[in-house]
Amino acid sequence: MDTKDYKITDKNFKIKEAPTAVPKEYQALTKDEIKAQINANVKKLQKIQQKLYAQRKYGIVVLFQAMDAAGKDSMIKHIFSGVNPVGFKVANFKQPNSVELAHDYLWRINESLPRRGVIGVFNRSYYEDVLVSRVHPEILLKNNLPQISSVEDVTDDFWESRYEDIRQYEAYLNRQGYIVYKFFLHVSKEEQRHRFQRRIDIKSKNWKFSAADIRERRYWGRYQKAYQKAIRATATPQEPWYVIPSDSKWYSRLAVSDILTHQLDKLPLAYPDVNHEQRSLMAEALKELKEE
C-alpha cells in the first residue's frame, strides 16, 4: 500500500483537503481481502515485537487521536490482536482526575509510558490538551495555572507555548529511545452521524451511545480547526503525523497496520548476543536436564 500521502511533516496541512474515503484503487477490495492483508501485517508485527521485547532498547508509543466514533477502540483490537500481552500496554486518557490536575499536563503521560521493549498504545493522548481544551478553554481554569485566571487569558501565545512543549517532549522521548507514531483517524461528519445513528438503532450497540458525544458534535467545526492547528504545529520530518482516511474502518486498519509494520521494520532490532559465560551456563543447564 502506498501511504506516503498520509504522512504529514510540515505546516501546510489542510484538513479539508485530507481524504476520509477509501481511495479508488482500494474500493474493489472485498472485506475478506482486506482482512487477509491485515492478518499478514499482524504476523509481521508479532515477529517485530519479539525482537523489540528481547532487545529492550526501544520503547514504542502508538498514539491515536480522532473525533468520536472514528474507530480507535476497534483499531487497537484488530491490528494488535496477535501481540504478546507481556510486551503490550494500552493507556486511555479521559478527563483528568483531581490528582492529575494537581500536576503538569504531561505528568500522567510519563506515568503511562511503556518500558523499553514494550509497545504502548495511547487511546487519546497529551494532544487532548491542545484539542478539547482549545475548543473548551474554560477547562483550563481547573488546572490552577499561574498565568490563567480567566478564559480571556488563554491567548494564541498560550497555545503556541503548548505546541512547543509537545515538540520538545517528543524530541526528548526520541533521544531516550522512545519512538512515537502519531495517527489521526480522519472521519467525515456524515460518517460520524451514521455511526451515532447505528448506536441508537441497533440494540446491541446501545451501550456505546453517549449524549456527551452528541453534544460535542455541535462543535465539529471548532474541532476541525483545532486538529489542523495542532497537526501543523507538531508535524516534523522527525515526528510526523499520519492522517488516515477512516470512513471505512477496515481500510483505516489496513493503512495503519501497513504503516506501523513498515516503520517498525526499519528499526535496528536484533536478538541480544549471548556471551561466553552465558553459553557456558546454558551448556551446564542442558547437561543437567539431559541427566535427569
Side-chain angles (χ1 to χ4, degrees), residues 85-217:
V86 174
F88 184 65
K89 177 182 180 181
V90 178
N92 292 282
F93 294 99
K94 300 185 183 296
Q95 291 184 8
N97 58 38
S98 58
V99 174
E100 292 166 342
L101 286 171
H103 294 80
D104 65 277
Y105 73 95
L106 290 173
W107 177 81
R108 64 176 181 163
I109 306 302
N110 275 317
E111 289 283 292
S112 298
L113 281 176
R115 293 173 297 151
R116 289 187 181 88
V118 172
I119 296 175
V121 173
F122 285 178
N123 189 342
R124 302 191 187 275
S125 68
Y126 44 93
Y127 280 96
E128 292 292 282
D129 292 282
V130 291
L131 293 168
V132 177
S133 296
R134 182 139 202 176
V135 174
H136 301 288
E138 64 276 9
I139 290 173
L140 293 167
L141 300 180
K142 299 178 182 178
N143 292 37
N144 294 320
L145 294 169
Q147 72 272 39
I148 303 296
S149 299
S150 68
V151 172
E152 287 70 30
D153 295 326
V154 186
T155 62
D156 286 343
D157 286 343
F158 172 82
W159 296 117
E160 288 304 320
S161 68
R162 284 220 160 170
Y163 296 144
E164 178 64 17
D165 290 342
I166 290 172
R167 289 194 297 268
Q168 293 292 342
Y169 182 65
E170 290 176 349
Y172 163 77
L173 289 178
N174 191 275
R175 288 191 293 270
Q176 306 308 310
Y178 283 84
I179 315 298
V180 182
Y181 298 100
K182 303 183 288 188
F183 293 96
F184 170 47
L185 306 184
H186 189 26
V187 68
S188 66
K189 190 175 184 181
E190 177 60 22
E191 179 60 24
Q192 188 197 58
R193 183 190 65 79
H194 173 67
R195 293 180 187 179
F196 281 167
Q197 272 191 257
R198 283 171 58 83
R199 292 179 179 183
I200 297 170
D201 293 338
I202 301 174
K203 189 173 182 179
S204 63
K205 294 182 180 290
N206 287 170
W207 65 274
K208 291 184 176 182
F209 173 75
S210 167
D213 290 347
I214 305 300
R215 288 195 297 271
E216 284 304 286
R217 182 174 162 82

